[in-house]
Amino acid sequence: MSVSSPLPLSVLDLVPVPLGSSAAGSVEAALAYAKAAEDAGFTRYWVAEHHNMGALASSVPLAVLAAASQRTTRIRLGSGGVMLPNHAPLSVAEGYRLLSALAPDRVDLGLGRAPGTDGRTARALRGAQGMIEESFERQLSDLIAFGTGQYPAGHPFAGTVAAPAGEGLFPPLWILSSSGYGAHVAAKAGAGLAFAWHINPDTAQARAAADAYRAAFQPSEAFPEPRVIVAASVVTAPTAAEAEELSLPLGLMFLRLTRGESAPYPTVAEAKAYPYTPQERALADSMRRRAIIGDPQSVAARLHALAHDAAADEVIVSLNIPDAAQRRDTLKLVMDAVRAQEARELAPA
């Protein structure tokens, strides 16, 4: 598969709460980030769902996206994604129909089956109803029925109207996947596929998932053709050395997550001063190696290679940089570098 040129680029936001910041400041930074992504020419602004993490404020993507809809005019807004087992399908259908009323024709509904948190917090999120285990595919089927108003014969909730009522409010669905299972679900549902390479950086597995998805794809109104996004964690700066330094907080944040610690997103200074044991250093460095780190030109080359090797139509980047202003500036660095590489490739020999 050849990569389209220009390669569509999108952005995934975890809404970091850096040390010394606040939830209010971080959400305001997220809204400025969404506008900066739009101004830089990114296709989508997606927000991830995470819980019980002091470093992140992305517990309710819908709230951030609703606010972002009032700061932007063109960029698509979506969840990356709603962790469906944490929610009642009718509630998700109504929330994203309402978001579509706020931002007509520019909403995406990304869905995942992981909890986005630890097991105890997942149980707390789901409450008593969470004790009744339902398959992801059954929940997805119910969500589509509620969202579209098209119920299978004999459905127990047939006739229920997901508010707000009206045509064209149920957004296109994307299935998040870090394995082959999501590819199967996305193909069957006629949805888009978003492969979480930033979680499972196995390019061969990403390619296998994309190929399986395309081979089994059943067209739908929202997706007449299959479409694949691959997600990558990126840290870039004008020089490779600066990028390596900026990536240090990413390693410390993941180290803390493995120990169940809930703390603000670390700063560069905090990460540099942290007294790692050799084992901790090895774990932090292994987590950083999941990211694409380097100067803009090398990052652009790796993003193009990833899209090609994973057979993806689009790349969505998570820019893991603590400072909000620096994170916004990095959007333009990435976009300019990717477009410059494409221009070089198209230039006559």
Side-chain angles (χ1 to χ4, degrees):
M1 175 186 170
S2 61
V3 178
S4 62
S5 184
L7 174 67
L9 293 176
S10 294
V11 62
L12 174 66
D13 195 2
L14 278 60
V15 194
V17 185
L19 183 68
S21 184
S22 65
S26 294
V27 172
E28 179 58 36
L31 302 182
Y33 190 46
K35 183 67 173 91
E38 178 172 82
D39 293 343
F42 283 77
T43 301
R44 308 172 204 276
Y45 171 78
W46 281 9
V47 178
E49 178 185 333
H50 292 99
H51 303 278
N52 195 33
M53 296 182 188
L56 309 175
S58 56
S59 53
V60 186
L62 184 61
V64 179
L65 297 169
S69 74
Q70 305 306 293
R71 300 280 189 98
T72 58
T73 58
R74 177 199 59 78
I75 197 166
R76 295 192 67 84
L77 305 170
S79 57
V82 169
M83 300 295 103
L84 191 53
N86 296 341
H87 307 277
L90 176 58
S91 178
V92 175
E94 291 196 325
Y96 281 82
R97 285 179 65 88
L98 181 56
L99 181 61
S100 290
L102 289 169
D105 299 319
R106 59 187 188 101
V107 174
D108 299 319
L109 177 46
L111 301 162
R113 65 186 179 117
T117 188
D118 58 277
R120 180 186 63 188
T121 305
R123 291 192 297 274
L125 279 166
R126 298 168 191 180
Q129 292 303 312
M131 298 300 100
I132 305 171
E133 291 292 335
E134 281 199 275
S135 75
F136 178 75
E137 291 182 67
R138 171 61 184 272
Q139 288 182 301
L140 177 61
S141 176
D142 283 348
L143 170 64
I144 294 171
F146 289 131
T148 62
Q150 299 171 9
Y151 293 89
H155 195 285
F157 300 116
T160 300
V161 176
E167 295 295 323
L169 292 179
F170 191 57
L173 300 179
W174 291 83
I175 304 300
L176 278 59
S177 177
S178 59
S179 67
Y181 173 77
H184 157 77
V185 174
K188 183 178 177 182
L193 175 67
F195 190 89
W197 186 87
H198 63 312
I199 294 173
N200 176 18
D202 183 332
T203 307
Q205 193 168 356
R207 177 60 181 256
D211 289 346
Y213 161 72
R214 287 194 171 92
F217 183 77
Q218 299 179 22
S220 65
E221 183 177 350
F223 288 92
E225 303 287 338
R227 189 156 184 88
V228 177
I229 294 176
V230 63
S233 180
V234 169
V235 182
T236 191
T239 68
E242 290 174 282
E244 282 293 329
E245 185 172 88
L246 277 178
S247 74
L248 295 176
L250 181 63
L252 180 54
M253 185 193 76
F254 277 110
L255 173 64
R256 287 171 168 167
L257 286 178
T258 63
R259 298 194 303 222
E261 297 177 9
S262 183
Y265 199 100
T267 62
V268 171
E270 184 185 8
K272 290 175 74 173
Y274 187 83
Y276 293 96
T277 66
Q279 294 80 7
E280 288 174 337
R281 174 73 69 183
L283 180 58
D285 288 347
S286 72
M287 298 307 294
R288 288 197 305 123
R289 284 194 292 272
R290 294 186 180 189
I292 294 175
I293 302 168
D295 63 84
Q297 186 170 338
S298 66
V299 164
R302 289 189 64 187
L303 290 177
H304 264 278
L306 175 61
H308 176 273
D309 295 345
D313 303 292
E314 182 176 331
V315 174
I316 187 166
V317 296
S318 175
L319 301 180
N320 293 290
I321 298 171
D323 183 79
Q326 199 166 24
R327 192 165 62 253
R328 290 194 299 273
D329 291 343
T330 302
L331 288 168
K332 191 169 186 306
L333 274 183
V334 171
M335 182 62 77
D336 287 351
V338 168
R339 296 297 173 251
Q341 173 170 323
E342 292 164 351
R344 287 192 298 271
E345 292 175 353
L346 292 173

